[in-house]
Amino acid sequence: MKIYLDVFFLVNTGMNFSVLVMESFFQKNRIRLLRLLGAAALGGFLVTLFVISGIHRFRLPSLLVYAAGSAGLVRFAFGRTTVRTWGRNFILFYVTSFLLSGVLQYIQSITRLQGNLILILSGTGAVLYAVYRFLPALRRGERKKALYLPVRLQHGGKKVQGSGLLDTGNHLTEPFSGRPVAISGMDFVTPLFAGEEPLFRYIPYHAIGTEHGTLRAFQAECLELRGEDGMWSRIERPWIAINDNPVSADGEYEIILHPDLVH
């Protein structure tokens, strides 16, 4: 059987890209098109090498190499995450691939066009459009449960902008004043410290797995929140605690808001 490597590469890249986009939709992640396209092309290149090398003729080595390549593809597509999130992404990648393959096989069975490249590409495009068209309604329902607000944080004449999660379970307060404290990842606030670092205060906290801990916190100049009505509200001199790692493993938000800051 003849295999045209250029067509083989393009088909696999297109399938990888479709699976990664669908997975991003399912996980409510931001769609980083260039990153996903790069990961898809990497996957297409690796599977082409996989075929050229002849490893696919040996069952156990081929399974190990294929799993390692898929793990690297997922890591490249969704960036640095926790081990648990990476494992979830890895599993969902195969689940999504299985669902997409099943849909394409069904389309082939009813159209009787087996192995047709145009059918594969058009069917994949149709599945992507269906996910894009109908999933946002489900996502809107989820967002009502987990409220995300656009935020702007200003300090030292510099400003950063991102998304904040309203977490009703965040009861962290500054111990002397009793004022509410928002929790940010280090990467989000680092641009604010380009001139000099602010004065930090250590705030005690406890969480699951951490009975007694402390977080560095500083008073920013202001925090602005945009409500569902599109209007921005301004909070002067808010306390911002800093977590060394991103507060959201999938990058959905950059800061965890105290409910008293919103109300």
Side-chain angles (χ1 to χ4, degrees):
M1 183 181 73
K2 283 186 177 181
I3 297 178
Y4 296 94
L5 293 180
D6 54 346
V7 176
F8 185 77
F9 167 77
L10 290 175
V11 169
N12 278 277
T13 298
M15 289 290 289
N16 288 334
F17 179 72
S18 302
V19 170
L20 291 173
V21 171
M22 290 174 63
E23 184 173 354
S24 296
F25 274 124
F26 292 147
Q27 297 194 86
K28 303 183 290 295
N29 289 342
R30 297 174 183 173
I31 306 298
R32 298 178 172 91
L33 289 178
L34 291 180
R35 183 160 192 162
L36 296 186
L37 185 59
L42 175 63
F45 176 73
L46 290 177
V47 77
T48 302
L49 289 181
F50 181 80
V51 171
I52 294 175
S53 66
I55 298 178
H56 62 285
R57 298 188 182 95
F58 306 95
R59 180 172 298 179
L60 181 59
S62 64
L63 288 175
L64 295 176
V65 171
Y66 197 81
S70 300
L73 183 151
V74 170
R75 168 64 175 82
F76 183 84
F78 299 105
R80 185 182 66 181
T81 61
T82 62
V83 174
R84 181 178 179 179
T85 301
W86 171 83
R88 183 191 65 189
N89 292 341
F90 181 77
I91 294 173
L92 188 56
F93 176 79
Y94 278 101
V95 172
T96 307
S97 300
F98 177 78
L99 293 176
L100 181 59
S101 298
V103 172
L104 292 179
Q105 288 181 5
Y106 176 74
I107 295 175
Q108 287 180 338
S109 67
I110 62 177
T111 59
R112 299 181 181 179
L113 295 174
Q114 300 295 324
N116 187 286
L117 178 60
I118 297 178
L119 175 64
I120 293 175
L121 295 178
S122 60
T124 303
V127 172
L128 277 178
Y129 175 78
V131 173
Y132 173 79
R133 179 69 177 82
F134 298 110
L135 198 61
L138 300 177
R139 294 184 62 180
R140 283 194 295 271
E142 291 295 323
R143 288 180 68 89
K144 290 180 181 178
K145 299 177 183 178
L147 181 60
Y148 297 92
L149 299 175
V151 300
R152 294 192 298 224
L153 187 62
Q154 183 173 327
H155 185 76
K158 299 177 178 61
K159 182 181 292 186
V160 292
Q161 184 165 345
S163 179
L165 169 67
L166 173 60
D167 184 3
T168 56
N170 176 17
H171 303 296
L172 189 64
T173 58
E174 198 279 322
F176 297 102
S177 64
R179 295 186 61 185
V181 178
I183 306 172
S184 168
M186 174 64 78
D187 291 344
F188 183 57
V189 297
T190 295
L192 300 175
F193 308 150
E196 60 178 296
E197 288 193 350
L199 294 175
F200 287 107
R201 176 174 295 175
Y202 285 89
I203 295 179
Y205 79 98
H206 65 274
I208 298 176
T210 305
E211 186 174 354
H212 299 290
T214 57
L215 290 173
R216 290 191 305 164
F218 71 101
Q219 269 193 300
E221 292 176 2
C222 75
L223 173 67
E224 295 178 297
L225 307 174
R226 192 177 74 186
E228 294 181 329
D229 57 359
M231 302 295 291
W232 288 89
S233 59
R234 182 183 178 95
I235 302 166
E236 300 290 345
R237 305 292 293 169
W239 281 99
I240 309 296
I242 302 176
N243 190 27
D244 291 335
N245 298 316
V247 292
S248 171
D250 55 12
E252 186 72 15
Y253 52 90
E254 290 79 20
I255 188 169
I256 299 175
L257 301 171
H258 192 290
D260 288 349
L261 291 173
V262 178
H263 300 314

